[in-house]
Amino acid sequence: MVSNAVLSQVEALREQLNHHNYLYHTLDQPEIADTEYDAIFQQLVRLEAEYPELVVAHSPSQRVGSVPLEGFQQVAHQLPMLSLDNAFSDADVIDFDQRVSALLDTSSSIQYACEPKIDGVAISLLYEQGQLVRAATRGDGLTGEDVTQNVRTIESVPLILRGTGFPEKLEVRGEVYISKSVFTDLNIQQVKKGDNPFANSRNAAAGSLRQLDSRLTANRRLTMYCYSVGLVEGGALPGGHFEILEQLQQWGFRINPLSKVVSGSRQCIAYYEQLGQKRADLNYDIDGIVFKVNGLDLQQQLGMRTRTPRWAVARKFPAEQGLTRLNAVEFQVGRTGAITPVARLEPVQVGGVTISNATLHNFDEIERLDVLIGDTVVIERAGDVIPKIVSVILDRRPENALPILQPETCPACGSDLEKSGSEVALRCVGGLICSAQRKESVRHFASRLAMDIDGLGEKLVGQLIEAGLVENPADLYDLEFDRLIDLERMAPLSANNLLQALNKSKLTSLQRFIYALGIQEVGEATATGLAHHFGDLQRLRIADEETLQAVPDIGPIVAEKVRHFFEQSKNNDVIDRLLESGVRWPDIAGSDQEKPLTGQTWVLTGTLVVSTRAELKRKLQSIGARVSGSVSSKTDCLVAGENAGSKLAKAQALNIKIIDEDELNRILTENKP
Ligand code: IVH
């Protein structure tokens, strides 16, 4: 039996440690020396060793990591983790602000929260009754990985919340990173151990978070800044973004002290410039500034696109540049046969990353740059984007510089190349006989945002194609263990893992499947639009161009590509085989097809009295309408509340149906789902 005295001693030690942890990690204002902290820590460790029954998951002693995992569990985010649109110039920031004002129908200055954009790894922390219960990576925004064990070792992440008043369920989001000083130190250690140094601190942070052995993570000294909340249940938060951050800090989260609220685009630009000056002195890497509309009610009104909110933008710092020599140009064949010239460069460090390849886009670009092999070129790298050649230093052109010749036939299969219509790209006409196109289409099919076949990366796809085991995506599901283990470097365990991953990928969603098909011009957003509109693959397969153009955001070009794709018998054969192999998806619950306002675009404007705008938007969506922020010729109906302004005038000019809030409520009641 543990005596009450021991119990309260343990609790007092934990409270002290949590308090000093908060002062040190969250507020950056320690009150005691490290040695004093260590002494208290050791006292707790000793008592917990003596009375193991007192150990609890949220004890400050439990940050050292625990037994290695076999793999990470998938976590579905209840609210998607969005990414941000980019602004590359002051003009882009002004445009953003004007767009926001127009959508909100206001002429007064918008309040923006400004924050440094940390170049780390996004994380979601879930607290229930004030205790950290789960930490997950962003993944593709909808599904991430459970990295709770690893995140528990990060000292700036509270294991239990301080104070009171927090919601029963609270999801906090932010960026995990490694500070510059720790990063330098870590790389010295890596080299000493004979391991490769990390290319940059973001890779180091990402790698550390994905360790199966959390004891290794604990040694990496990760830290985190929180920048928003996700799910909130059983409690309320303040009505402004910045005010929420202040509240989070009270509960123990580390918040960037440079965050600030400003008014209008001019002050946003000034903040960006000030931070640009300070950038080099910060102890962490930032790649830009994030501007967020501060009012949560306004954020709600603005809503989001597929993956990005309309209420925020990231102003990126200018790309970093370097000088190097162009050694050669090779030609890559893409999924749809487009030939892309790729520059092979003398390796050079740009912004802490070694660059040895850059894209040259197409032959028009080569001509525009007037670049020759052997030239000294300026290359630029902006964040994640593939580096590109921006100009040539003509003064340094060597005498033996050579012109870059257009290939006459496909470098992969020898087929003819053609340039169709207004397209700039040169394309291989080989289609499925071209191994490069086959490889790219299978790789795309397996990729994370498509069928998400774990472990089926570029190398393995190449092997499967070269061995003749796979020609198109449908062949993947016919792969057999005995053939797989004949491949070079394929152990029985990996073969089994691949087969399991293939099996698992069969249960997907209609939008992923459509995206995976790799139809020209059909990216993720278009695939989602098609899935929601048609709700069913068969309907999409027989749709004519006119029907396709009724889908929001699909114009004649995309409609033509989609119809063309589904007219090809070889594509239909592949699709039929995929379905026969068991590729399937849940029915889209009451798809748009059966709803009263399917295919219609509605706009809400003015002051709505009976319900909030967000509520009406949700109700309209539930009966199939798309609710847009602006009036255009595609708008079917405008709901005008009191004091409606420019949108009402525009709708009148375009002869669009206009109704008031009462009329809308009548329609909603009549059509209740
Ligand atoms: S807000 C809906 N704030 O940048 C907005 N993101 O491109 C979601 N990031 O995935 C993000 N610092 O990992 C936000 N102060 C900040 C940020 C930040 C870094 C990262 C984050 C996100 C990516 C978006």
Side-chain angles (χ1 to χ4, degrees):
M1 253 308 267
V2 184
S3 73
N4 277 342
V6 172
L7 198 64
S8 35
Q9 196 187 355
V10 164
E11 269 166 15
L13 289 170
R14 284 180 187 154
E15 217 161 278
Q16 275 183 58
L17 290 170
N18 280 335
H19 175 68
H20 291 296
N21 231 340
Y22 177 69
L23 292 176
Y24 184 94
H25 291 285
T26 303
L27 301 185
D28 199 13
Q29 287 164 356
E31 280 176 2
I32 58 172
D34 289 2
T35 46
E36 237 174 297
Y37 181 91
D38 289 343
I40 308 175
F41 192 88
Q42 287 315 323
Q43 253 180 300
L44 176 67
V45 169
R46 264 198 308 275
L47 279 173
E48 285 182 348
E50 201 172 327
Y51 304 99
E53 61 270 46
L54 289 185
V55 177
V56 287
H58 63 261
S59 170
S61 63
Q62 302 301 298
R63 291 190 184 271
V64 287
S66 45
V67 281
L69 301 173
E70 301 220 321
F72 297 110
Q73 298 282 329
Q74 300 270 316
V75 172
H77 298 296
Q78 285 206 35
L79 297 174
M81 287 184 80
L82 302 176
S83 64
L84 291 165
D85 272 346
N86 291 327
F88 293 104
S89 63
D90 292 351
D92 287 352
V93 175
I94 294 170
D95 275 359
F96 163 73
D97 175 53
Q98 284 175 348
R99 218 162 39 237
V100 166
S101 303
L103 287 170
L104 295 175
D105 231 349
T106 173
S107 53
S108 36
S109 283
I110 308 282
Q111 304 288 106
Y112 291 104
C114 310
E115 297 164 9
K117 183 169 184 296
I118 313 269
D119 202 4
V121 185
I123 198 93
S124 142
L125 308 173
L126 184 65
Y127 290 82
E128 285 177 5
Q129 321 296 347
Q131 288 208 25
L132 175 67
V133 292
R134 197 201 65 202
T137 59
R138 174 172 183 275
D140 63 5
L142 299 176
T143 319
E145 284 178 330
D146 187 329
V147 288
T148 314
Q149 289 220 37
N150 293 344
V151 169
R152 295 176 60 82
T153 69
I154 304 176
E155 287 176 291
S156 45
V157 171
L159 299 177
I160 42 169
L161 301 185
R162 296 168 57 80
T164 53
F166 35 78
E168 283 164 27
K169 255 194 191 181
L170 172 67
E171 183 197 359
V172 174
R173 294 174 176 179
E175 200 82 351
V176 167
Y177 68 93
I178 290 185
S179 70
K180 287 184 190 168
S181 47
V182 170
F183 174 67
T184 312
D185 207 48
L186 180 64
N187 263 353
I188 295 173
Q189 309 287 338
Q190 287 287 108
V191 175
K192 260 194 201 153
K193 278 193 300 183
D195 289 341
N196 285 332
F198 293 102
N200 53 46
S201 67
R202 181 154 60 113
N203 286 1
S208 306
L209 260 190
R210 294 196 78 255
Q211 289 290 339
L212 289 171
D213 187 344
S214 49
R215 290 167 297 195
L216 291 175
T217 313
N219 289 328
R220 296 284 171 84
R221 286 169 289 160
L222 294 163
T223 182
M224 131 166 232
Y225 273 132
C226 296
Y227 55 62
S228 71
V229 291
L231 190 73
V232 178
E233 273 175 22
L237 293 177
H241 174 79
F242 186 78
E243 291 69 27
I244 291 181
L245 295 186
E246 287 181 322
Q247 174 62 263
L248 289 179
Q249 188 178 53
Q250 307 265 316
W251 287 331
F253 296 95
R254 191 158 171 267
I255 304 301
N256 195 315
L258 299 172
S259 301
K260 173 175 164 186
V261 178
V262 308
S263 183
S265 59
R266 192 147 8 121
Q267 292 185 12
C268 286
I269 293 167
Y271 179 92
Y272 163 82
E273 275 163 10
Q274 283 160 18
L275 258 283
Q277 307 274 328
K278 282 194 197 150
R279 184 181 180 192
D281 301 329
L282 299 176
N283 193 16
Y284 46 86
D285 289 319
I286 64 175
D287 58 352
I289 301 295
V290 188
F291 302 122
K292 302 174 182 173
V293 171
N294 196 53
L296 289 205
D297 51 340
L298 303 185
Q299 289 188 0
Q300 270 224 332
Q301 276 185 45
L302 289 161
M304 57 188 206
R305 304 179 200 85
T306 321
R307 328 199 105 245
T308 58
R310 288 202 186 80
W311 43 263
V313 76
R315 167 72 162 105
K316 298 306 257 307
F317 288 122
E320 293 173 278
Q321 297 195 331
L323 272 192
T324 189
R325 201 183 94 100
L326 175 62
N327 286 336
V329 173
E330 283 170 19
F331 301 97
Q332 274 177 1
V333 188
R335 169 164 58 84
T336 57
I339 310 284
T340 309
V342 178
R344 305 291 179 211
L345 306 163
E346 195 58 36
V348 60
Q349 286 272 325
V350 180
V353 176
T354 307
I355 306 291
S356 40
N357 300 309
T359 177
L360 276 160
H361 301 293
N362 51 51
F363 283 91
D364 286 9
E365 174 81 353
I366 292 178
E367 214 164 284
R368 189 185 68 76
L369 288 167
D370 179 25
V371 57
L372 301 184
I373 293 169
D375 269 337
T376 297
V377 292
V378 178
I379 58 166
E380 189 176 280
R381 160 184 174 266
D384 289 347
V385 193
I386 305 171
K388 61 176 185 184
I389 295 187
V390 285
S391 59
V392 175
I393 313 279
L394 288 174
D395 294 352
R396 297 212 201 158
R397 175 164 287 171
E399 277 186 3
N400 59 357
L402 291 172
I404 301 164
L405 300 178
Q406 284 208 19
E408 281 171 4
T409 53
C410 171
C413 71
S415 297
D416 287 344
L417 300 179
E418 64 168 21
K419 213 170 183 177
S420 73
S422 56
E423 279 190 346
V424 270
L426 205 55
R427 274 180 208 282
C428 160
V429 301
L432 272 187
I433 69 148
C434 175
S435 66
Q437 286 185 54
R438 286 203 302 257
K439 190 165 142 187
E440 285 307 308
S441 64
V442 173
R443 202 165 68 102
H444 171 80
F445 182 83
S447 64
R448 201 165 66 144
L449 299 173
M451 299 296 281
D452 194 18
I453 305 173
D454 218 16
L456 187 52
E458 187 172 354
K459 255 205 193 127
L460 187 49
V461 171
Q463 271 185 295
L464 292 170
I465 302 258
E466 270 140 44
L469 293 182
V470 169
E471 252 190 22
N472 66 52
D475 298 331
L476 288 171
Y477 294 106
D478 290 342
L479 286 172
E480 285 169 4
F481 182 82
D482 293 345
R483 303 291 304 275
L484 276 175
I485 46 169
D486 288 343
L487 293 175
E488 220 176 293
R489 291 188 306 280
M490 177 66 82
L493 183 65
S494 335
N496 258 330
N497 286 346
L498 177 62
L499 291 173
Q500 268 182 21
L502 279 161
N503 218 357
K504 189 170 147 210
S505 74
K506 286 182 185 169
L507 181 57
T508 181
S509 64
L510 179 56
Q511 57 256 46
R512 277 179 178 268
F513 183 75
I514 296 172
Y515 174 67
L517 293 175
I519 307 168
Q520 249 188 71
E521 304 289 335
V522 177
E524 218 198 329
T526 307
T528 307
L530 288 168
H532 280 287
H533 186 83
F534 289 98
D536 160 307
L537 183 66
Q538 298 314 326
R539 278 202 202 101
L540 169 63
R541 282 171 88 167
I542 56 168
D544 58 21
E545 282 175 47
E546 202 184 323
T547 318
L548 285 162
Q549 282 192 50
V551 181
D553 301 326
I554 290 197
I557 297 179
V558 183
E560 203 272 322
K561 300 272 188 208
V562 174
R563 187 198 46 86
H564 180 76
F565 180 91
F566 287 111
E567 265 175 12
Q568 308 300 307
S569 58
K570 61 175 199 282
N571 292 337
N572 282 311
D573 290 346
V574 169
I575 294 175
D576 289 336
R577 279 181 55 207
L578 287 167
L579 300 177
E580 277 158 27
S581 312
V583 171
R584 64 200 183 280
W585 46 87
D587 281 342
I588 296 184
S591 94
D592 289 5
Q593 208 57 32
E594 303 103 46
K595 297 177 186 169
L597 299 187
T598 294
Q600 296 200 15
T601 303
W602 286 52
V603 177
L604 301 166
T605 192
T607 314
L608 301 162
V609 198
V610 186
S611 335
T612 65
R613 192 173 290 197
E615 205 177 322
L616 291 176
K617 180 173 172 183
R618 255 198 321 274
K619 285 188 179 161
L620 275 168
Q621 285 170 335
S622 75
I623 56 171
R626 191 172 95 99
V627 181
S628 160
S630 58
V631 172
S632 76
S633 59
K634 286 198 176 176
T635 308
D636 292 284
C637 183
L638 177 83
V639 182
E642 282 167 33
N643 303 320
S646 59
K647 285 184 201 165
L648 177 58
K650 190 162 177 196
Q652 281 163 341
L654 290 171
N655 226 348
I656 283 163
K657 183 171 160 197
I658 298 163
I659 62 171
D660 63 13
E661 194 180 353
D662 289 345
E663 173 77 14
L664 171 62
N665 278 321
R666 201 181 53 72
I667 295 175
L668 290 172
T669 320
E670 271 173 17
N671 292 296
K672 225 177 192 153

